[in-house]
């Protein structure tokens, strides 16, 4: 079976004057096309580092990453990555921000422009296409950043706590968009502290602690019967 994503014995260490500190140790797992994986765990456990490796922003010290059957980093064009902050350019309009990735990839065509307009309409932002980012709410800005990624037609979407910088009343609208993407069959990996969202939407939950995947199970099993003491302690603190 060809998976959308495969990691085999992936290690990554940060090197400092004091020595090396392993952020990830022996990470091995596979993601099927259309699966939604929630990555949960305490701060500093390696969740964001894992996404950086998959996105090609970091290179594993050891191990292999395959995306759609091709070895990383030769094939990262199918990866879309949403950060905690929207990183919209304040001097460009929302429409111009959405087109930015297409411009960088020299892929700006009549068809891609039409797709950008269609996505702006689909996610309720076409009326703000000529507005500047400063005129939008935090949730709307995150939607615009998501559209900027989706217009590139990624095969896999990575989300690194996309709601952490939002006011509580704006979290719901971003989560609703992610739920729709999951319902549409997008392959997704999401670092999140929104446990209710992870329980409701994800197909699998990977609990990471000290750079290792401690548990990999379905949401019902993870939340009702965590196998490890570390996962039990984590859930007691966040639920």
């Amino acid at each position: 079976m060809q998976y959308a994503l495969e990691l085999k014995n992936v290690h990554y260490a940060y090197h400092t004057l004091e020595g090396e500190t392993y952020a990830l140790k022996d990470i091995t797992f596979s993601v099927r096309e259309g699966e939604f994986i929630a990555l949960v765990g305490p701060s500093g456990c390696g969740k964001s580092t894992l996404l950086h490796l998959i996105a090609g922003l970091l290179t594993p010290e050891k191990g292999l990453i395959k995306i759609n059957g091709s070895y990383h980093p030769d094939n990262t064009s199918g990866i879309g990555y949403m950060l905690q902050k929207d990183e919209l350019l304040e001097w460009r309009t929302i429409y111009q921000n959405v087109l930015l990735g297409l411009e960088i990839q020299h892929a700006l065509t009549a068809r891609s422009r039409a797709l950008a307009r269609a996505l702006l309409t689909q996610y309720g932002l076409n009326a703000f296409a000529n507005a500047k980012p400063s005129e939008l709410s935090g949730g709307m800005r995150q939607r615009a950043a998501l559209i900027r990624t989706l217009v590139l037609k990624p095969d896999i979407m990575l989300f690194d706590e996309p709601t952490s910088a939002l006011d509580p009343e704006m979290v719901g609208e971003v989560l609703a968009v992610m739920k729709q993407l999951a319902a549409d069959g997008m392959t997704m990996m999401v670092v999140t502290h929104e446990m209710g969202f992870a329980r409701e939407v994800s197909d699998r939950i990977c609990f990471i602690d000290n750079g290792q995947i401690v548990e990999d199970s379905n949401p019902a099993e993870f939340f009702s019967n965590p196998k490890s003491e570390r996962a039990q302690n984590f859930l007691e603190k966040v639920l």
Side-chain angles (χ1 to χ4, degrees), residues 22-62:
Y22 268 97
L24 293 171
K25 294 171 280 189
D26 197 28
I27 299 293
T28 297
F29 72 94
S30 302
V31 180
R32 292 183 175 86
E33 184 178 347
E35 269 195 307
F36 184 117
I37 311 297
L39 302 175
V40 304
S43 297
C45 69
K47 303 185 299 293
S48 294
T49 300
L50 179 57
L51 293 193
H52 287 359
L53 288 165
I54 296 169
L57 302 178
L58 298 173
T59 302
E61 301 268 327
K62 302 175 184 177

Side-chain angles (χ1 to χ4, degrees), residues 7-211:
L7 284 80
K8 296 181 179 180
N9 307 115
V10 170
H11 293 247
Y12 185 81
Y14 290 103
H15 299 272
T16 65
L17 294 176
E18 289 75 25
E20 74 175 13
T21 301
Y22 268 97
L24 293 171
K25 294 171 280 189
D26 197 28
I27 299 293
T28 297
F29 72 94
S30 302
V31 180
R32 292 183 175 86
E33 184 178 347
E35 269 195 307
F36 184 117
I37 311 297
L39 302 175
V40 304
S43 297
C45 69
K47 303 185 299 293
S48 294
T49 300
L50 179 57
L51 293 193
H52 287 359
L53 288 165
I54 296 169
L57 302 178
L58 298 173
T59 302
E61 301 268 327
K62 302 175 184 177
L64 297 171
I65 299 176
K66 292 176 73 175
I67 299 168
N68 290 327
S70 298
Y71 281 107
H72 178 85
D74 300 324
N75 180 29
T76 58
S77 61
I79 298 291
Y81 195 4
M82 276 284 293
L83 302 171
Q84 295 179 14
K85 295 184 179 180
D86 57 69
E87 304 296 347
L88 297 177
L89 302 181
E90 297 295 339
W91 60 89
R92 294 174 68 113
T93 66
I94 295 303
Y95 180 59
Q96 290 168 340
N97 268 285
V98 165
L99 297 180
L100 182 61
L102 293 168
E103 292 176 13
I104 293 172
Q105 294 187 7
H106 304 288
L108 201 55
T109 64
R111 180 173 293 182
S112 63
R113 287 178 182 274
L115 176 59
R117 284 290 183 183
L119 289 169
L120 284 166
T121 299
Q122 180 179 345
Y123 292 108
L125 289 180
N126 195 46
F128 300 89
N130 295 321
K132 295 294 178 61
S134 60
E135 300 175 62
L136 273 62
S137 69
M140 294 167 73
R141 290 175 63 114
Q142 281 291 67
R143 274 186 278 156
L146 177 58
I147 294 168
R148 180 183 57 194
T149 301
L150 292 178
V151 78
L152 298 174
K153 298 183 178 180
D155 298 314
I156 303 171
M157 278 296 305
L158 309 177
F159 293 86
D160 192 354
E161 296 196 33
T163 62
S164 63
L166 299 178
D167 293 333
E169 64 269 21
M170 298 177 184
V171 169
E173 63 178 273
V174 175
L175 295 182
V177 172
M178 294 170 66
K179 288 180 184 178
Q180 185 58 55
L181 282 176
D184 291 341
M186 174 67 75
T187 307
M188 299 165 65
M189 292 187 66
V190 180
V191 172
T192 184
H193 59 273
E194 301 284 348
M195 292 298 109
F197 172 70
R199 186 201 301 256
E200 178 186 353
V201 182
S202 67
D203 298 303
R204 285 163 52 199
I205 292 185
C206 289
F207 173 70
I208 301 177
D209 192 32
N210 291 325

Side-chain angles (χ1 to χ4, degrees), residues 216-236:
D216 181 353
S217 60
N218 64 66
E221 183 179 352
F222 177 75
F223 284 103
S224 64
N225 187 32
K227 297 180 178 65
S228 68
E229 183 177 351
R230 282 186 281 178
Q232 292 170 14
N233 292 337
F234 172 77
L235 289 173
E236 288 175 1

